[in-house]
Amino acid sequence: MREIQEGRWAEGARFPSDQELTSRLGVSRMTVRQAVSELVNDGFLRRDHGKGTFVTRPRALRRFWTVISFTEEMRSRGLEVQNKLLGVRRVIPPGPIRKALRLGPGERVLQIRRIRAVHGQPIAYNVSNIPLSRCPDLDRCDLEEDSLYLIIQNRYGYRITRGDRAYRAAKPSRAEAALLGVAPGDSVLVVEGATFVDREVPIDYCYEVYRE
Amino acid sequence: MREIQEGRWAEGARFPSDQELTSRLGVSRMTVRQAVSELVNDGFLRRDHGKGTFVTRPRALRRFWTVISFTEEMRSRGLEVQNKLLGVRRVIPPGPIRKALRLGPGERVLQIRRIRAVHGQPIAYNVSNIPLSRCPDLDRCDLEEDSLYLIIQNRYGYRITRGDRAYRAAKPSRAEAALLGVAPGDSVLVVEGATFVDREVPIDYCYEVYRE
DNA sequence: TAGTGGTCTAGACCACAAG
DNA sequence: TTGTGGTCTAGACCACTAA
């Protein structure tokens, strides 16, 4: 009973209710719901409790926020994210990071090390480096609770406009393997790069290791 | 009835059968199946028809290939991709692209323009620039059928090792809006950058516009 | 053959939204 | 109050797998 397909419905149009499909197709309601659920999962329909079922444009497959922010990417997939703070320090960054952030020789950054977990399983190890001159007293915020980029935008009034990322497959260091719960020989995905606000001002240089 | 959670099962271990859960928890089988289906969808369990249900490690949320290759990313989500070839030309690339690809002044690239579609809906506009010196006669391959990066690896023996990408939200050009079927004022995601093989040799400079 | 998952039935009660 | 989706029941038959 899978003959319900997308027949060029207009976006936002009302889709037949469970009851209507049940009687029209002569199948039981559980069967209807299962078929409709597939279309909902594929992003063609949206159910509103008490209101009805509606045709929706298939959700965008990539959006600026979902590629730039780990938290947003996971949420867009309907997964809950836990951030575990490993450490927060004010440090003078190494040369390449200083360069990428366009900082003067003595300027310090806030180095934030975190483990991102989904369903309690560690997924990624993340190090962010944020210039203190651009986000003063960032270490007074609740960095464990919510999206770092949300804080940067809401508390400091920046607008994040661009993200540069380099992707490569690699072997984790011993410490990274231990943090992610993988074998040292396993392959991991390393993502690295700067995030920019407003007029091309770098606000973060992040280094991430994803379990693969 | 959602009290079935992940209780640190070993990977590959057998999960209780529907029947066993039904009698053990005192609920009906449809209820059990719905709860188990959620765990299957979230990647914690795998069902094998006739064999049983097994614990599986949650699938990786980001892998090198799924962030580097559009085709692979869509396939990993269980979606079918269609590539529509708009045009293939041998051209001398503009300065910034020539620089990113580390080409000499007169060297030519194969410019490949494509529309990527999922479920018949256009999702992205993509322009790849591939040095002909590194992939001679690439225009003789079937570029519509399959993954460009698969061809580069299989036919030319390269191993793709790194991808650099810059992400930004933008407004589409009039031509891009028309190709993607969006309004000119809508926001789109622009992705741009080089892909590298082996010893940091750039093999592609791609420019992509995603519907948002 | 016995056990598993895949699908389906014909009901039921509930929570939510709108008139 | 009515109609909607969310959840659940207690069965049933089928296809697949392995002994």
Side-chain angles (χ1 to χ4, degrees), chain B residues 71-191:
Chain B
T71 311
E72 293 307 317
E73 178 177 356
M74 295 304 115
R75 280 188 186 154
S76 79
R77 300 195 194 187
L79 301 171
E80 204 180 329
V81 181
Q82 296 99 35
N83 289 320
K84 201 169 92 185
L85 214 51
L86 296 179
V88 178
R89 303 186 295 172
R90 293 170 178 241
V91 299
I92 294 176
I97 293 182
R98 204 196 76 197
K99 221 169 184 174
L101 290 173
R102 292 185 209 143
L103 293 179
E107 281 195 75
R108 287 186 305 172
V109 300
L110 196 67
Q111 182 197 66
I112 303 166
R113 297 187 307 127
R114 292 181 290 181
I115 288 284
R116 337 295 293 261
V118 173
H119 280 295
Q121 295 264 345
I123 295 296
Y125 167 61
N126 173 289
V127 184
S128 274
N129 296 275
I130 296 177
L132 280 160
S133 57
R134 291 164 202 156
C135 292
D137 295 324
L138 177 60
D139 37 6
R140 287 202 194 140
C141 298
D142 183 356
L143 297 168
E144 193 143 27
E145 198 45 53
D146 221 84
S147 169
L148 182 55
Y149 288 179
L150 217 61
I151 295 174
I152 288 175
Q153 295 204 120
N154 291 349
R155 185 179 157 119
Y156 296 96
Y158 292 116
R159 204 170 57 95
I160 290 173
T161 53
R162 202 180 97 212
D164 285 353
R165 297 289 186 268
Y167 301 95
R168 61 180 197 275
K171 302 292 175 198
S173 74
R174 207 144 26 181
E176 289 164 357
L179 284 166
L180 292 176
V182 300
D186 286 355
S187 190
V188 292
L189 168 66
V190 174
V191 183

Side-chain angles (χ1 to χ4, degrees), chain A residues 1-2 26-31 49-51:
Chain A
M1 287 295 169
R2 289 293 141 74
V27 298
S28 85
R29 184 167 169 227
M30 286 300 278
T31 309
H49 193 170
K51 292 189 197 169

